[in-house]
Amino acid sequence: MKFFPKILRLAVSVVLIVLVSACASTEMTSRANPELEGREFDKVLVFGKFQNLNHREVAESEFCSNMGRLTNSECIKSSEVFFVGESQTAEQIDARVKEQEIDAVLILQPSDSGTSSSYVPPSYETQSSATVTGNMISGSSTTYTYGGYTLNKPWAKYEVSLIAIADGRVAWYATGQSRGNAYAGWDDLIESATSESVKKLVSDGVLRKADP
């Protein structure tokens, strides 16, 4: 029984870690272009269309990570093909894409974002204890306050497109909304959106599922 308090403390610690961990989820609706059904996109250039450079790099890294796990397609980050601090002409972009033998470009673009707030009202709990010493009784009490603060939860809406390089047509299109808990940041929303995008591309039959 002497180990029970240690086990209990460990269990409480695990629960607290889960409760304060960042969490985000994405709801997405997608459509594959039926006229392009059967095309294979073996090499995909991914582009996170964000003004914030860190967000762009997160999006492209997560795209490639998920594509590597879930598909047979090779993923190329646009930030590794084009220098982010320099503008490219249409001719330069076309030349680099052909040089890299890219089949399609996958673009994630935010369309709106914000935060939702909810107030957690305070609640109180008082714990008391008493000690008997001879004929004397002494006691103490401690009052704990929970709540009394505002939770801010981020959300963002996205558009995702897969463009076929051969003819410039949209092979796949999706819109989605990501929501996070009070501990989530914008990077968590982007990670959720990219993960859901790749899952949809596979389930819609646009990208081939990874070999078992």
Side-chain angles (χ1 to χ4, degrees):
M1 296 297 293
K2 64 180 180 179
F3 294 107
F4 181 74
K6 293 182 178 179
I7 295 174
L8 182 60
R9 286 196 297 270
L10 177 61
V12 171
S13 298
V14 171
V15 171
L16 288 174
I17 291 172
V18 172
L19 289 176
V20 300
S21 295
C23 181
S25 61
T26 298
E27 294 182 357
M28 184 169 286
T29 302
S30 61
R31 295 288 183 271
N33 188 337
E35 296 183 7
L36 274 63
E37 183 178 356
R39 285 199 189 183
E40 295 186 356
F41 305 105
D42 296 323
K43 200 169 185 179
V44 179
L45 181 77
V46 294
F47 176 31
K49 198 172 182 179
F50 295 87
Q51 290 184 335
N52 183 297
L53 181 56
N54 177 69
H55 292 168
R56 174 178 176 176
E57 292 179 344
V58 169
E60 295 181 3
S61 293
E62 289 298 316
F63 263 141
C64 285
S65 175
N66 284 286
M67 288 177 63
R69 291 187 303 103
L70 302 175
T71 78
N72 277 336
S73 299
E74 181 182 354
C75 179
I76 306 296
K77 302 174 187 176
S78 68
S79 55
E80 294 182 352
V81 176
F82 304 101
F83 178 58
V84 296
E86 189 174 66
S87 299
Q88 306 284 331
T89 65
E91 291 75 15
Q92 289 174 319
I93 294 174
D94 185 59
R96 292 302 300 276
V97 166
K98 290 180 178 178
E99 178 185 314
Q100 296 287 328
E101 298 181 337
I102 302 296
D103 297 312
V105 178
L106 180 60
I107 303 170
L108 174 70
Q109 177 176 350
S111 57
D112 197 7
S113 63
T115 57
S116 59
S117 300
S118 58
Y119 179 69
V120 180
S123 60
Y124 307 94
E125 177 185 354
T126 300
Q127 296 181 357
S128 302
S129 62
T131 303
V132 178
T133 305
N135 295 326
M136 300 291 293
I137 299 177
S138 59
S140 64
S141 64
T142 303
T143 299
Y144 298 93
T145 302
Y146 305 96
Y149 50 81
T150 299
L151 295 176
N152 295 311
K153 304 176 183 179
W155 59 267
K157 295 181 179 180
Y158 301 99
E159 290 181 306
V160 197
S161 303
L162 183 73
I163 312 298
I165 293 299
D167 50 15
R169 299 187 66 184
V170 178
W172 179 87
Y173 177 76
T175 59
Q177 180 165 349
S178 300
R179 297 181 181 274
N181 62 10
Y183 302 98
W186 300 113
D187 287 359
D188 299 302
L189 301 188
I190 294 170
E191 290 173 9
S192 176
T194 54
S195 175
E196 187 64 23
S197 296
V198 176
K199 290 177 183 177
K200 286 285 190 180
L201 282 162
V202 173
S203 64
D204 290 343
V206 179
L207 295 184
R208 286 182 299 158
K209 185 177 180 180
D211 295 328

